[in-house]
Amino acid sequence: MIKSTGLKKLRTAIFISGTGTNLKNLIKFSLSKKSPIKICLIVSNNPNAEGLKFSTKYKIKHKIFKYRSNNTDEKKALHHLNKNKINLICLAGYMKILSENFIKCFNGPILNIHPSLLPKYKGLNTHERVINNKEKYTGCTVHFVDSKLDSGKVVLQKKIKLFKNDTPSKLAKRVLKQEHILYPKAIMKLFANS
Ligand code: GRF
């Protein structure tokens, strides 16, 4: 596993599709001295993603790849990542599944955060399904990305208790708060010099 070397932080791209609260949180984390990452690029498949505002706010380059034709856009994305010497990708609310070819060709680890205790509740609408199934606990997971949905090796998880009056949106808020703690923790675990 690559580690940052004190002075040299890992050049990181964050992939988003929507609100970007994890993006904002990772940017703030990256600005701290102890952080092993430097966020050099924001990638979105959605030109209207709210999170793109953080590109302007924090003066970080962004690039839109709409993935209308997977092959061409993936090639363009890989080229761009290469050009920017990116060696870590963090998916943060990115709603596209990366192809096996993309994962193989990208020169470094790819991480994702998912709002459940994987391997349980892969995919969408996790909170609704968790509540409907009357689970006692849910959580969030940072994991490596492979070509199957939400299925790569787990890096870190946080368990969260459900309340009797939980609704999907109440639960989503509570889980998101924990995601913001978990993602930087997972990055520290993997890449910080001990
Ligand atoms: C998060 O719950 C993340 O786990 C999931 O999508 C949501 C993205 O939220 N993959 P945000 O865009 O970071 O606010």
Side-chain angles (χ1 to χ4, degrees):
M1 179 57 59
I2 42 172
K3 297 260 174 190
S4 77
T5 60
L7 290 173
K8 234 180 154 205
K9 295 189 175 205
L10 292 172
R11 294 180 61 81
T12 302
I14 312 288
F15 281 37
I16 62 164
S17 300
T19 329
T21 65
N22 276 292
L23 163 66
K24 181 185 177 195
N25 183 62
L26 286 176
I27 294 173
K28 287 192 162 169
F29 163 67
S30 74
L31 296 173
S32 69
K33 205 172 163 206
K34 63 168 189 191
S35 163
I37 63 166
K38 174 182 163 84
I39 297 173
C40 302
L41 185 65
I42 297 166
V43 170
S44 175
N45 63 316
N46 170 14
N48 302 316
E50 216 187 295
L52 285 171
K53 67 183 178 209
F54 299 117
S55 156
T56 321
K57 182 162 180 202
Y58 292 96
K59 299 189 175 58
I60 299 169
K61 278 195 263 186
H62 76 265
K63 197 82 190 162
I64 316 275
F65 295 107
K66 285 191 187 166
Y67 282 88
R68 283 217 186 89
S69 115
N70 261 358
N71 256 346
T72 327
D73 278 349
E74 276 199 0
K75 260 193 200 150
K76 279 192 204 159
L78 281 168
H79 173 76
H80 208 75
L81 292 163
N82 222 349
K83 201 171 111 191
N84 283 278
K85 298 187 169 55
I86 300 298
N87 37 32
L88 170 68
I89 294 176
C90 295
L91 308 183
Y94 187 64
M95 302 303 281
K96 278 264 162 202
I97 298 176
L98 299 172
S99 76
E100 208 168 339
N101 182 57
F102 182 96
I103 295 165
K104 222 169 41 196
C105 291
F106 175 67
N107 187 23
I110 306 178
L111 299 176
N112 182 37
I113 188 149
H114 183 76
S116 79
L117 285 177
L118 290 174
K120 288 179 111 181
Y121 301 101
K122 297 175 181 181
L124 296 175
N125 305 320
T126 50
H127 305 306
E128 206 171 338
R129 289 186 283 140
V130 161
I131 291 171
N132 288 343
N133 286 344
K134 301 193 175 13
E135 295 282 1
K136 286 201 171 81
Y137 293 94
T138 184
C140 45
T141 304
V142 174
H143 64 97
F144 286 101
V145 170
D146 63 19
S147 57
K148 287 186 219 112
L149 179 70
D150 301 326
S151 72
K153 190 172 176 251
V154 169
V155 180
L156 268 186
Q157 290 187 307
K158 171 75 185 177
K159 205 169 165 185
I160 296 159
K161 202 172 165 22
L162 262 87
F163 299 146
K164 277 211 175 90
N165 63 349
D166 261 332
T167 61
S169 72
K170 276 188 190 170
L171 188 56
K173 267 192 199 151
R174 245 177 27 256
V175 173
L176 197 58
K177 225 174 167 181
Q178 293 303 321
E179 290 182 36
H180 295 164
I181 299 169
L182 194 71
Y183 220 157
K185 237 184 177 177
I187 290 171
M188 287 299 280
K189 175 179 170 187
L190 288 172
F191 307 117
N193 276 319
S194 43

